[in-house]
Amino acid sequence: MASKPSIPKGTRDFSPAEVAKRQYIMQIIKSNFEKFGFQPIETPSFENSDTLMGKYGEEGDRLIFKILNSGDYLAKANESHLQNKDSNKLTSTISEKALRYDLTVPFARYVVQHQNEIEFPFKRYQIQPVWRADRPQKGRFREFFQCDADVVGSKSLWQEVELVQLYDTVFTSLGLNGVTVKINNRKILSGIAEVIGASDKLIDFTVALDKLDKIGEDGVKKEMIEKGISEEALVKVQPLFNFTGTISEKLEKLSLLLATSAEGMKGVEELKFICENVMKLGLSSAILDLDVTLARGLNYYTGAIFEVAPPKEVAMGSIGGGGRYDDLTGIFGLKNMSGVGISFGLDRIYLVVEELNLFPETVTETTKALFINYGDTEAFYAMQAIQKLRATGIKVELYPDNAKVAKQFQHADKRSIPFAVIVGDQEMAAKTFSLKNLVSGEQVLLDFEGLKEALS
């Protein structure tokens, strides 16, 4: 007996309606990427393993899907590694390729490989799937699309200003009003760690601080102490636990806190430039917020850090994020190539738009009218009209089989097709068409121009 078909955990099938909704979101993101001057590229779904491995930290590397070598993949396997079941050493000999974990490292590889063909600054976007051997949960999948926009070859902070505007423009176009674009700067975090005498514990400090909204002030302090950060240091960072006010007021507080740190003050100046210009230019529906607890991507971000939270009425994690990286291409030998980029979380954005009922009804519209098949003669007459209607962009189709009429109408109903076109001897003789509204039941007799107008 054949086993019941299934798909791997963390992957999904998408119905026609779901695909239409996803394409609607992607099209809005894509059109705005292009409006802002970003150019599309695509990279392979799998890369050489050495391109990916060692670029995401130990945790990230564990989540990379490896591809077994073609043919007898054990042919080159080291016998002792095989005998000792040393999977880490064995993997490199039986798997030379891996599915991409994100679009950023393949992009860095692309820039280095094609540096002589690229005009810098280079603004690129990519909308492609990536794969992670993660534990599946709501909003987190093993296969998902990333929608990235990056600029490399420019240190100008106007790029950050534009990326905030890009977030605002996309989410406004989707009707997602009230998203919060949180911004911080890696130099601020480094400066705070320096001021409190914990520069050697920057990662521990920021990882704990990043949990403030989840475990509260006491929980963060407890974790910091456990990581070896002194009580004296915690007194110095006390202002961070009640960091409220306008962006200007927050910047003022940071200036006081970081007065003795050159690195920290540079971060304050960068944030001031970005935030002041964004506020002067104005945002359509997004809210800009300076969040000093934001600490994503510390392994590679060197300047601005972004994260986008959905509207407050939706309980969902971040729906976008990114930041400035000063030397991402350095991992492939091309030094001093600064870049900044952001990503849109397609799957989470889908869930938020769905929850708020923001998809237009027209998104899932398919066939506008089904021509009923009464036989080959009538079908040929119908197909002539169908050909002309399709040429004008109207979605119509012929029921392919000369089946019972009731079955054909039932088919239209199940597919939510709003109209049926009936063509019999009388209609053909008069060169007309009977158009039936399958919602109201109303039926009218029309010539071709009238039919075209009714279905437009």
Side-chain angles (χ1 to χ4, degrees):
M1 184 177 171
S3 61
K4 187 179 177 182
S6 64
I7 58 174
K9 283 182 181 177
T11 64
R12 297 154 293 166
D13 288 324
F14 296 106
S15 68
E18 288 168 328
V19 170
K21 289 175 179 178
R22 286 166 64 84
Q23 287 178 342
Y24 165 76
I25 295 171
M26 283 193 274
Q27 186 52 45
I28 284 178
I29 294 172
K30 176 177 178 285
S31 64
N32 282 295
F33 280 167
E34 292 178 356
K35 200 185 294 180
F36 277 68
F38 291 89
Q39 301 176 82
I41 68 163
E42 291 188 358
T43 58
S45 56
F46 56 94
E47 298 269 351
N48 293 324
S49 294
D50 56 10
T51 297
L52 302 176
M53 298 300 290
K55 311 301 190 299
Y56 304 101
E58 195 177 325
E59 179 62 27
D61 282 355
R62 276 203 298 268
L63 299 181
I64 293 174
F65 278 110
K66 284 82 173 178
I67 300 172
L68 290 173
N69 294 339
S70 302
D72 183 3
Y73 57 85
L74 288 176
K76 296 180 184 176
N78 182 290
E79 197 62 41
S80 65
H81 297 160
L82 203 55
Q83 293 291 333
N84 297 331
K85 297 184 179 177
D86 189 336
S87 57
N88 287 332
K89 291 179 178 174
L90 186 63
T91 300
S92 62
T93 59
I94 65 173
S95 170
E96 294 166 0
K97 299 174 187 67
L99 292 176
R100 60 175 172 234
Y101 173 91
D102 70 358
L103 298 177
T104 307
V105 169
F107 172 53
R109 189 265 310 150
Y110 176 94
V111 170
V112 175
Q113 196 171 336
H114 299 276
Q115 58 187 288
N116 296 325
E117 306 147 35
I118 292 171
E119 172 60 28
F120 294 102
F122 180 44
K123 300 174 77 169
R124 88 78 167 88
Y125 76 84
Q126 255 178 291
I127 301 176
Q128 288 187 279
V130 300
W131 294 267
R132 293 182 187 179
D134 215 343
R135 185 169 63 85
Q137 52 186 284
K138 186 182 178 183
R140 180 176 290 176
F141 307 98
R142 286 175 171 167
E143 178 185 61
F144 57 97
F145 268 77
Q146 283 192 337
C147 310
D148 286 9
D150 288 79
V151 189
V152 290
S154 169
K155 293 183 178 180
S156 169
L157 294 175
W158 285 111
Q159 307 289 4
E160 278 85 338
V161 172
E162 280 216 314
L163 290 174
V164 175
Q165 290 181 314
L166 178 55
Y167 268 139
D168 177 51
T169 306
V170 168
F171 289 122
T172 301
S173 301
L174 287 167
L176 265 183
N177 298 333
V179 304
T180 301
V181 181
K182 299 176 184 178
I183 185 170
N184 196 12
N185 193 297
R186 164 65 188 261
K187 296 180 180 75
I188 298 272
L189 295 166
S190 298
I192 294 168
E194 182 187 334
V195 165
I196 66 172
S199 291
D200 59 328
K201 297 189 181 300
L202 172 64
I203 301 295
D204 291 334
F205 167 75
T206 50
V207 166
L209 188 63
D210 196 31
K211 296 176 185 174
L212 184 60
D213 60 341
K214 298 183 186 77
I215 61 177
E217 181 180 335
D218 291 341
V220 170
K221 286 180 174 177
K222 182 172 178 284
E223 186 170 322
M224 286 183 176
I225 288 167
E226 287 171 357
K227 296 291 185 182
I229 295 168
S230 69
E231 296 269 6
E232 185 188 352
L234 293 186
V235 172
K236 290 180 181 176
V237 297
Q238 184 60 40
L240 298 182
F241 295 115
N242 301 291
F243 207 70
T244 55
T246 64
I247 289 177
S248 298
E249 288 167 346
K250 289 178 179 178
L251 285 168
E252 192 61 39
K253 289 178 186 177
L254 282 173
S255 295
L256 293 171
L257 181 66
L258 298 170
T260 59
S261 168
E263 176 85 345
M265 288 307 294
K266 191 176 179 192
V268 172
E269 288 306 310
E270 289 181 7
L271 275 184
K272 189 175 180 183
F273 180 91
I274 298 163
C275 293
E276 284 186 355
N277 281 295
V278 167
M279 288 186 286
K280 283 178 194 170
L281 290 163
L283 296 172
S284 298
S285 68
I287 301 155
L288 183 66
D289 182 36
L290 170 50
D291 183 354
V292 290
T293 69
L294 182 59
R296 62 183 289 139
L298 288 182
N299 288 334
Y300 43 91
Y301 291 142
T302 53
I305 307 168
F306 300 108
E307 191 164 280
V308 184
K312 288 182 173 59
E313 60 267 36
V314 182
M316 178 69 70
S318 66
I319 54 175
R324 164 75 63 176
Y325 42 86
D326 278 341
D327 198 23
L328 190 70
T329 55
I331 56 178
F332 298 114
L334 182 60
K335 299 293 183 185
N336 303 316
M337 183 64 73
S338 185
V340 60
I342 58 172
S343 186
F344 289 82
L346 174 67
D347 295 295
R348 287 187 176 180
I349 292 169
Y350 180 103
L351 292 172
V352 173
V353 174
E354 184 90 300
E355 188 172 327
L356 295 176
N357 199 26
L358 293 173
F359 284 111
E361 286 183 22
T362 52
V363 166
T364 53
E365 273 185 3
T366 53
T367 297
K368 194 74 179 280
L370 180 72
F371 281 71
I372 305 301
N373 189 335
Y374 285 94
D376 287 345
T377 304
E378 294 87 343
F380 183 76
Y381 179 88
M383 282 299 290
Q384 290 175 299
I386 287 169
Q387 195 172 23
K388 291 177 189 172
L389 291 169
R390 286 174 177 165
T392 65
I394 299 171
K395 300 173 184 177
V396 286
E397 60 181 280
L398 172 73
Y399 191 85
D401 304 312
N402 182 10
K404 288 180 180 177
V405 172
K407 183 181 179 182
Q408 297 186 48
F409 276 105
Q410 195 177 46
H411 177 77
D413 183 53
K414 285 181 177 176
R415 286 186 50 203
S416 301
I417 297 173
F419 293 98
V421 182
I422 299 159
V423 175
D425 292 339
Q426 290 179 325
E427 284 86 0
M428 287 194 296
K431 295 190 176 176
T432 57
F433 305 84
S434 289
L435 180 68
K436 183 169 185 174
N437 185 316
L438 297 178
V439 178
S440 67
E442 181 188 359
Q443 187 166 317
V444 290
L445 192 66
L446 302 165
D447 61 11
F448 177 77
E449 287 304 316
L451 178 68
K452 184 170 78 172
E453 192 175 325
L455 294 177
S456 294

